[in-house]
C-alpha cells in the first residue's frame, strides 16, 4: 500500500507476506509510525495474516517530520531505537522507506514524543510498551466518547418518561441549585452580550426572560389584572409565582407532568406566602379545565416534550377565553427545505433522545398550527436564538466555578458517584445544544396569538 500506515510488529514474528519488516526480539516491538489519530482502524487489522497491527496515518504526510531509514544495526540492538530528524514535507510515501528490510524507522510521534526529539535522538526500547499504553489510552478515550455520544433517555411517554425524568432532576436538587426557580433559558440583551454574557447573573437572566416574554406577548393587561392565568409546563413554579406577584388579584394555575415539581412549587409558594397561585399534575394534551377558562395561557419550554404539537396548540386554544392571549416560547428545529443532512439528522436524534423529546418542529410551523386552528388570530412569530444562546454555556460555567454540591452528592446516597456521571452527561448535552443553536440547526421560537371573540 502507498498509504501511510502505523505498523506494530508482533514480537517474534518474521517477515509477513509483504516482506517489509524484519524479525525483532521477543522483548521489543518495531514501531514504524507511532501516532494514533483514530483507534477504530485497529478493529480492521488483519493480525493473523500479517503479524502486525496496521492503520492509516494520512495526516502524517503533511507534517514537518521526515521519515529516515537508518543503517542496519547489530542484532543486539534490533528494534531498540527510533530516530527522527526535523525536516521538510516528505516527498514520497512512507511505504517507500520500507522497500528494504530496516532495523529502525524514524517517525513523527505523538506530541509528547515530538517534544523529546531535537535533531537526532535515541529512544530506548522500553518506549515500545509506552506506545502500547498510549494506544490503550486512546482506545479508552474512544470508548468514553462513544458512550457519551449515545443518547440515554429517549422519549417514553408523558408520565413514564418526561414526568419521571423531571421527578429525578427535582429530587436531586442540582438543577434548582444552579438554575434557581426558573427551569428555562435566560434572556441576554445586545448590551449584555457586548460586555460579556457571563458577567450577568445566571438566575437574573431567567427572570429577565419572563419579563421580556410578558412584554412581547402584548397581552391585554386589563383582562389579566383580575383574571386567570395558566402556566403550561410550570416546572417548580418560578414563572407562576412571578406572574402571581405581578398580578396580585389574578389567580395563577401551573400544571406539570412531575409530581415532585408540583410539590416543590407549592412548597416554595408557601414559603414566599403567595396565596394566589396553585399547582397540579396534569397532561397538557388532556387538560380537565373547561372551555374558555383563562385570560392568558403561558407556555415556556413545554412544547418540546409534546408528542402531538397540533393537539398541544388546540388544547391551549380551547381553554383560552375569547379575546385572551396565548404566548409560547419553545426550542425548535430549523424550517425545511433544505432537507437535513445526515449529520444534522444524527445531531437531532441525540437531542431528541437525551432529554426525552419526541421531536421538534419549526417555530414557523407552530405559527401555521395556530393559524389553522380556526379560533386563533393575530398570529406572530419571532426568533430569539441570539437572546437566549448564551444560556447553554453559561449554565456549564456556573457549575465549573461552583462544583461543590455535585462533588458532595457523589459521596452520599442514594446515587453516590452515579451523580457525577449524570452531571457529565448533562454538560455534554448542554454543549451540543449550544452548537446546534449556534449552527442554525435549532432555533428559539416565540409565538403568540389572540383568540377571536365570538
Amino acid at each position: 500500500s502507498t498509504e501511510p500506515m502505523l505498523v506494530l510488529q508482533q514480537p517474534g514474528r518474521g517477515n509477513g507476506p509483504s516482506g517489509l519488516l524484519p524479525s525483532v526480539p521477543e522483548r521489543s516491538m518495531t514501531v514504524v509510525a507511532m501516532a494514533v489519530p483514530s483507534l477504530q482502524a485497529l478493529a480492521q487489522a488483519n493480525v493473523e495474516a500479517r503479524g502486525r497491527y496496521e492503520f492509516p496515518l494520512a495526516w502524517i504526510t503533511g507534517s514537518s517530520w521526515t521519515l529516515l531509514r537508518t543503517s542496519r544495526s547489530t542484532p543486539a540492538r534490533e528494534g531498540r531505537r527510533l530516530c527522527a530528524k526535523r525536516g521538510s514535507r516528505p516527498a514520497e510515501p512512507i511505504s517507500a522507506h520500507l522497500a528494504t528490510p530496516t532495523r529502525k524507522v524514524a517517525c513523527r510521534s505523538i506530541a509528547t514524543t515530538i517534544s523529546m526529539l531535537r535533531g537526532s535522538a535515541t529512544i530506548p526500547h522500553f518506549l515500545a510498551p509506552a506506545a502500547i499504553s498510549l494506544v490503550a489510552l486512546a482506545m479508552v478515550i474512544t470508548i468514553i466518547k462513544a458512550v457519551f455520544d449515545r443518547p440515554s433517555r429517549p422519549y417514553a411517554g408523558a408520565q413514564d418518561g418526561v414526568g419521571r425524568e423531571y421527578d429525578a432532576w427535582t429530587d436531586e436538587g442540582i438543577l434548582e441549585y444552579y438554575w434557581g426557580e426558573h427551569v428555562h433559558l435566560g434572556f441576554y440583551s445586545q448590551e449584555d452580550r457586548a460586555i460579556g454574557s457571563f458577567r450577568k447573573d445566571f438566575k437574573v437572566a431567567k427572570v429577565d426572560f419572563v419579563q421580556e416574554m410578558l412584554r412581547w406577548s402584548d397581552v391585554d393587561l386589563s383582562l389579566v389584572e383580575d383574571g386567570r392565568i395558566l402556566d403550561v409546563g410550570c416546572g417548580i413554579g418560578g414563572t407562576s409565582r412571578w406572574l402571581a406577584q405581578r398580578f396580585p388579584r389574578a389567580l395563577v394555575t401551573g400544571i406539570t407532568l412531575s409530581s415532585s415539581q408540583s410539590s416543590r412549587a407549592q412548597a416554595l409558594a408557601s414559603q414566599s406566602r403567595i396565596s394566589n397561585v396553585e399547582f397540579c399534575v396534569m397532561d397538557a394534551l388532556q387538560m380537565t379545565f373547561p372551555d374558555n377558562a383563562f385570560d392568558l395561557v403561558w407556555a415556556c419550554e413545554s412544547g418540546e416534550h409534546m408528542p402531538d404539537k397540533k393537539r398541544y396548540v388546540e388544547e391551549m386554544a380551547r381553554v383560552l377565553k375569547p379575546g385572551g392571549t396565548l404566548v409560547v416560547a419553545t426550542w425548535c428545529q430549523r424550517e425545511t427545505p433544505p432537507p437535513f443532512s445526515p449529520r444534522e439528522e444524527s445531531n437531532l436524534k441525540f437531542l431528541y433522545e437525551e432529554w426525552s423529546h419526541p421531536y421538534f418542529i419549526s417555530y414557523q410551523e407552530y405559527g401555521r398550527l395556530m393559524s389553522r386552528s380556526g379560533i386563533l388570530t393575530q398570529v406572530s412569530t419571532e426568533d430569539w436564538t441570539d437572546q437566549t444562546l448564551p444560556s447553554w454555556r453559561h449554565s456549564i460555567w456556573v457549575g465549573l466555578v461552583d462544583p461543590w454540591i455535585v462533588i458532595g452528592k457523589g459521596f452520599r446516597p442514594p446515587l453516590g458517584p452515579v451523580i457525577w456521571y449524570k452531571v457529565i452527561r448533562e454538560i455534554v448535552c448542554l454543549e451540543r445544544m449550544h452548537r446546534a443553536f449556534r449552527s442554525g440547526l435549532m432555533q428559539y421560537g416565540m409565538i403568540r396569538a389572540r383568540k377571536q371573540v365570538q
Side-chain angles (χ1 to χ4, degrees):
S1 170
T2 59
E3 182 177 16
M5 305 289 288
L6 178 142
V7 183
L8 299 180
Q9 180 77 8
Q10 286 188 317
R13 296 293 294 267
N15 293 343
S18 59
L20 296 179
L21 295 175
S23 298
V24 294
E26 288 287 342
R27 62 181 177 178
S28 67
M29 177 176 284
T30 300
V31 181
V32 176
M34 189 173 59
V36 190
S38 172
L39 267 295
Q40 295 178 353
L42 279 177
Q44 303 171 1
N46 189 342
V47 180
E48 292 300 323
R50 293 181 175 271
R52 62 183 184 270
Y53 300 97
E54 298 183 351
F55 56 98
L57 289 172
W59 64 273
I60 205 172
T61 60
S63 72
S64 60
W65 293 86
T66 302
L67 300 184
L68 299 178
R69 187 161 46 103
T70 64
S71 59
R72 293 172 180 262
S73 63
T74 62
R77 295 182 179 179
E78 280 186 339
R80 291 196 178 188
R81 291 187 299 171
L82 293 173
C83 298
K85 181 179 179 181
R86 188 75 179 267
S88 60
R89 182 187 180 97
E92 55 184 327
I94 292 176
S95 58
H97 297 286
L98 304 180
T100 58
T102 60
R103 293 301 182 262
K104 297 171 292 296
V105 179
C107 65
R108 178 188 181 186
S109 184
I110 59 176
T112 52
T113 305
I114 288 176
S115 65
M116 297 170 57
L117 302 175
R118 295 292 183 270
S120 295
T122 299
I123 303 177
H125 74 281
F126 60 77
L127 279 188
I132 298 175
S133 298
L134 289 172
V135 169
L137 176 62
M139 292 181 70
V140 171
I141 294 173
T142 301
I143 292 171
I144 292 174
K145 184 178 186 302
V147 169
F148 285 101
D149 281 346
R150 185 182 303 114
S152 64
R153 291 167 288 193
Y155 180 78
Q159 296 295 340
D160 293 337
V162 179
R164 182 183 65 238
E165 292 300 331
Y166 278 109
D167 282 344
W169 281 326
T170 304
D171 295 340
E172 289 161 5
I174 293 176
L175 186 63
E176 182 180 345
Y177 180 83
Y178 289 118
W179 284 47
E181 299 182 16
H182 296 266
V183 188
H184 56 75
L185 301 189
F187 185 92
Y188 300 80
S189 66
Q190 189 172 0
E191 182 181 356
D192 292 331
R193 286 172 273 147
I195 64 176
S197 300
F198 288 9
R199 293 186 178 184
K200 186 169 187 174
D201 187 287
F202 185 55
K203 296 177 182 178
V204 169
K206 296 169 178 295
V207 177
D208 287 352
F209 182 94
V210 177
Q211 294 173 331
E212 291 298 321
M213 184 172 172
L214 179 63
R215 178 195 59 78
W216 186 83
S217 71
D218 197 28
V219 63
D220 186 343
L221 297 180
S222 64
L223 294 178
V224 179
E225 289 288 354
D226 297 292
R228 295 191 64 188
I229 302 172
L230 174 64
D231 185 2
V232 180
C234 64
I236 58 173
T239 298
S240 300
R241 289 186 296 276
W242 187 91
L243 291 169
Q245 291 177 308
R246 172 65 178 79
F247 303 105
R249 295 194 304 272
L251 175 61
V252 181
T253 302
I255 65 170
T256 174
L257 289 169
S258 166
S259 58
S260 292
Q261 282 189 332
S262 178
S263 298
R264 180 60 179 158
Q266 194 63 59
L268 290 171
S270 298
Q271 292 175 17
S272 302
R273 297 185 179 181
I274 302 174
S275 59
N276 61 323
V277 64
E278 60 184 8
F279 301 95
C280 60
V281 176
M282 188 181 298
D283 187 344
L285 301 185
Q286 303 177 57
M287 290 189 282
T288 58
F289 303 119
D291 297 352
N292 308 320
F294 297 95
D295 299 280
L296 171 63
V297 175
W298 177 291
C300 182
E301 298 184 12
S302 57
E304 299 87 337
H305 296 294
M306 302 299 165
D308 187 339
K309 314 299 189 193
K310 180 173 180 291
R311 178 69 179 273
Y312 172 60
V313 170
E314 290 174 344
E315 270 292 279
M316 291 190 293
R318 179 185 67 80
V319 300
L320 183 65
K321 288 181 180 180
T325 298
L326 168 62
V327 60
V328 176
T330 185
W331 309 344
C332 303
Q333 61 192 39
R334 69 166 173 81
E335 185 88 309
T336 55
F340 296 119
S341 68
R343 181 180 181 85
E344 287 178 320
E345 289 180 345
S346 176
N347 287 335
L348 284 174
K349 184 177 186 298
F350 178 88
L351 300 182
Y352 292 162
E353 298 183 1
E354 181 62 15
W355 279 350
S356 297
H357 301 124
Y359 64 97
F360 303 131
I361 61 174
S362 68
Y363 68 86
Q364 295 93 331
E365 180 61 18
Y366 272 109
R368 289 189 285 269
L369 289 174
M370 291 185 186
S371 296
R372 292 196 294 261
S373 68
I375 57 175
L376 294 175
T377 62
Q378 303 179 44
V379 177
S380 299
T381 63
E382 198 167 295
D383 183 355
W384 278 19
T385 301
D386 290 343
Q387 295 92 321
T388 56
L389 181 62
S391 289
W392 302 109
R393 285 185 172 171
H394 202 173
S395 177
I396 297 173
W397 176 249
V398 296
L400 292 176
V401 299
D402 181 16
W404 306 114
I405 184 175
V406 176
I407 294 173
K409 284 182 176 291
F411 292 102
R412 298 194 298 269
L415 292 178
V418 173
I419 196 68
W420 298 337
Y421 168 75
K422 292 186 68 177
V423 169
I424 293 173
R425 288 206 71 97
E426 308 301 359
I427 293 172
V428 169
C429 195
L430 288 167
E431 174 61 22
R432 293 190 65 158
M433 278 289 188
H434 171 87
R435 296 183 184 186
F437 277 86
R438 184 183 61 185
S439 70
L441 175 61
M442 295 287 291
Q443 298 172 318
Y444 199 98
M446 302 294 295
I447 314 96
R448 68 186 177 200
R450 289 271 177 86
K451 188 171 182 178
Q452 66 185 19
V453 178
Q454 298 296 335

